[in-house]
């Protein structure tokens, strides 16, 4: 069930809340999914309930459409559609006991772009650490090839017509209960549960579609 149009529901995670222990704790995962993501879903549905023209759009289309509206509608539309899309994408990119490094075409592309997986890891961590306040770091594919971008708040690569491959959520609610203000420790922990097989599937789909949108 993809649930990519109104009305939106909070889809179950593909793993248990405690499955990512000890790297991401059960309480954080439960609250992140059932409180934070749920709130974005409720707010988005409330925003769309009296706007049938928007109800026909996918999450990606809603994010893009937000840029065509006045601030009164565009800002909450981006914040909530982006909040649903980004959280789902982030959760989808986690897995208990995953492969520790990418394989196949993504591994080759990362080596070509960053010199090695370690080179990518260092660059990705640096980007995630440098997000000011709340937001995400994304690995994306675009016209220039692989890029690491920062997305403040609930901004999304979709706005830029970039195809996301994997993401880390660096809002404090993603890590504060376990790591307090030590974002660096959380990023290191995230690399232990980042699903590189899923990222590889995303990369192959991005290459195939060449539309630079998930």
């Amino acid at each position: 069930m993809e649930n990519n149009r109104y009305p939106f529901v909070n889809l179950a995670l593909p793993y248990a809340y405690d499955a990512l222990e000890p790297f991401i704790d059960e309480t954080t995962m439960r609250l992140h999914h059932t409180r934070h993501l749920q709130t974005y879903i409720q707010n988005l549905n409330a925003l769309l309930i009296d706007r049938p023209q928007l109800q026909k759009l996918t999450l990606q289309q809603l994010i893009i459409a937000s840029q065509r509206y006045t601030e009164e509608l565009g800002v909450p539309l981006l914040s909530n559609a982006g909040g649903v899309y980004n959280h789902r994408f982030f959760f989808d990119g986690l897995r208990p006991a995953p492969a520790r490094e990418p394989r196949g075409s993504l591994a080759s592309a990362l080596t070509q772009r960053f010199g090695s997986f370690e080179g990518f890891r260092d660059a990705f961590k640096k980007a995630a650490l440098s997000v000011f306040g709340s937001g995400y770091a994304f690995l994306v594919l675009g016209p220039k090839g692989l890029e690491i971008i920062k997305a403040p708040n609930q901004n999304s690569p979709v706005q830029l017509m970039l195809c996301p491959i994997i993401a880390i959520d660096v809002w404090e609610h993603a890590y504060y209960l376990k790591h307090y203000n030590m974002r660096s420790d959380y990023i290191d922990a995230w690399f232990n549960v980042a699903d590189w097989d899923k990222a590889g599937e995303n990369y192959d789909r991005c290459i195939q579609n060449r539309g630079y949108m998930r």
Side-chain angles (χ1 to χ4, degrees):
M1 181 180 180
E2 190 175 29
N3 184 229
N4 205 27
R5 286 183 173 83
Y6 175 89
F8 295 96
V9 298
N10 201 355
L11 303 174
L13 296 180
Y15 41 79
Y17 290 121
D18 65 352
L20 306 180
E21 294 268 13
F23 305 107
I24 302 180
D25 60 286
E26 177 182 359
T27 302
T28 293
M29 288 300 300
R30 188 179 298 276
L31 291 174
H32 202 169
H33 182 250
T34 65
R35 301 287 184 87
H36 293 280
L37 174 53
Q38 181 64 38
T39 298
Y40 284 111
I41 288 171
Q42 291 170 344
N43 289 344
L44 182 58
N45 284 336
L47 195 63
L48 301 181
I49 192 169
D50 294 322
R51 295 182 169 92
Q53 75 279 11
L54 293 179
Q55 293 175 10
K56 303 173 184 177
L57 303 182
T58 66
L59 269 175
Q60 297 94 322
Q61 291 168 340
L62 287 169
I63 291 168
I64 294 169
S66 70
Q67 301 171 93
R68 302 197 296 265
Y69 289 95
T70 63
E71 184 175 336
E72 183 180 7
L73 175 57
V75 170
L77 185 58
L78 173 60
S79 296
N80 291 293
V84 177
Y85 180 90
N86 290 347
H87 276 100
R88 285 180 172 180
F89 191 83
F90 167 69
F91 289 137
D92 237 13
L94 303 175
R95 179 181 176 181
R100 300 302 294 271
E101 295 187 10
R103 296 179 277 203
S105 56
L106 177 58
S108 299
L110 287 173
T111 298
Q112 183 176 5
R113 173 66 178 82
F114 297 98
S116 65
F117 178 68
E118 286 303 315
F120 158 75
R121 179 176 173 137
D122 291 345
F124 194 76
K125 181 175 181 178
K126 181 178 180 180
L129 282 171
S130 67
V131 174
F132 183 77
S134 302
Y136 300 77
F138 282 87
L139 174 67
V140 301
L141 182 69
K144 298 179 182 179
L146 287 176
E147 299 179 70
I148 296 169
I149 67 166
K150 297 179 288 185
N153 301 315
Q154 295 299 348
N155 287 12
S156 169
V158 172
Q159 295 165 261
L160 305 174
M161 302 302 289
L162 300 172
C163 192
I165 295 166
I166 200 165
I168 183 170
D169 184 340
V170 291
W171 284 66
E172 284 193 341
H173 63 242
Y175 61 90
Y176 201 85
L177 290 179
K178 182 176 179 66
H179 296 288
Y180 305 105
N181 65 330
M182 302 301 292
R183 185 185 287 184
S184 177
D185 292 350
Y186 159 67
I187 297 168
D188 290 339
W190 174 85
F191 272 101
N192 288 280
V193 289
D195 187 351
W196 293 110
D197 288 340
K198 179 67 175 180
E201 293 173 9
N202 290 338
Y203 176 74
D204 290 342
R205 184 176 62 249
C206 291
I207 289 289
Q208 182 177 4
N209 292 344
R210 283 302 197 189
Y212 307 117
M213 273 187 58
R214 182 170 182 265

